[in-house]
Amino acid sequence: MLRKSIYWVLSGLFLLTSCMSNGDTSTNSFQPPYFDLAGFIKQSTLDTSMTRVNKTIEIDGQEESKVLEDYALWKDIRSFDAYDINRPALSDKYTADTIHSSTMTTTTYQPVDTAADLNVLLLRITKSQDTVSSIQIKTSTKSFLEHIVLDIDWRPEIGYSIHRSSKRIFSSQIHHQNIEVSRMDSH
């Protein structure tokens, strides 16, 4: 009798643990609630070939422009994944607002609490026929020495532009820097 009882208890435990292990495990893994910027960047930069670009840099009104024949544009783009908001700690920190038109869909992510200390202030994704045509990012970073605001406009088929403004502590002057990189070859 004791042997039968042990058999049934062990069988029940085996059945219970096998049902639990075959169950839905998605509750334990993080599901990205926002646009997968890091994944999109990874997919976009699979081709690591060099590209012919026109690169323009303007710093406080001084501008220089140059055509670069073998430019690793993919390296620049990969740095944008630092602004991906798909992190477990940020899963409830942003709102999403989507606007649909006959040819485009634009989704804008902004912080729920504007007083929150979040670096990404805006992430806007524009798609044309399910293809990403534009990604706009606005960030704000404050340290004890300066406040930096970046406005990034990335058009995957064309190139990107970055406007950087910085204000150092104990100074009233705001420094501006613009970088624009445009593809000159077909993609």
Side-chain angles (χ1 to χ4, degrees):
M1 178 76 157
L2 180 62
R3 211 180 249 186
K4 257 188 182 175
S5 297
I6 292 174
Y7 172 77
W8 285 111
V9 168
L10 290 176
S11 295
L13 285 174
F14 176 76
L15 182 62
L16 181 63
T17 56
S18 67
C19 288
M20 288 173 60
S21 65
N22 289 336
D24 183 21
T25 59
S26 64
T27 56
N28 294 335
S29 63
F30 176 69
Q31 296 294 319
Y34 311 117
F35 175 77
D36 184 12
L37 181 62
F40 181 76
I41 289 169
K42 185 177 180 181
Q43 187 65 36
S44 297
T45 59
L46 287 176
D47 178 9
T48 58
S49 62
M50 303 304 228
T51 306
R52 184 171 190 241
V53 300
N54 183 27
K55 186 170 186 173
T56 304
I57 299 176
E58 178 187 345
I59 300 174
D60 292 330
Q62 300 287 333
E63 184 177 302
E64 184 177 328
S65 188
K66 191 171 188 177
V67 173
L68 303 169
E69 294 297 328
D70 293 320
Y71 189 75
L73 181 62
W74 58 273
K75 286 184 181 180
D76 294 353
I77 302 304
R78 283 192 180 164
S79 69
F80 297 163
D81 75 353
Y83 309 116
D84 188 21
I85 59 176
N86 278 314
R87 295 189 171 98
L90 301 176
S91 66
D92 62 346
K93 304 292 184 204
Y94 290 88
T95 61
D97 182 29
T98 303
I99 299 172
H100 300 278
S101 73
S102 60
T103 58
M104 289 187 177
T105 301
T106 301
T107 304
T108 303
Y109 303 97
Q110 292 180 301
V112 172
D113 180 6
T114 56
D117 192 23
L118 298 171
N119 289 344
V120 178
L121 303 178
L122 175 119
L123 175 62
R124 180 173 292 134
I125 312 299
T126 303
K127 293 182 179 182
S128 178
Q129 300 172 357
D130 291 331
T131 301
V132 174
S133 59
S134 172
I135 296 176
Q136 295 171 316
I137 305 166
K138 182 172 186 162
T139 70
S140 176
T141 308
K142 292 181 184 177
S143 71
F144 65 95
L145 292 176
E146 69 182 333
H147 179 206
I148 300 171
V149 175
L150 290 178
D151 286 301
I152 301 169
D153 186 6
W154 174 31
R155 299 179 189 275
E157 296 298 320
I158 298 169
Y160 71 87
S161 65
I162 299 174
H163 175 77
R164 179 183 192 267
S165 61
S166 62
K167 182 179 180 304
R168 293 199 172 107
I169 196 165
F170 306 122
S171 172
S172 61
Q173 187 176 11
I174 298 175
H175 297 279
H176 296 279
Q177 178 183 19
N178 293 310
I179 300 172
E180 187 170 322
V181 177
S182 302
R183 291 177 184 269
M184 296 186 73
D185 56 355
S186 61
H187 181 67

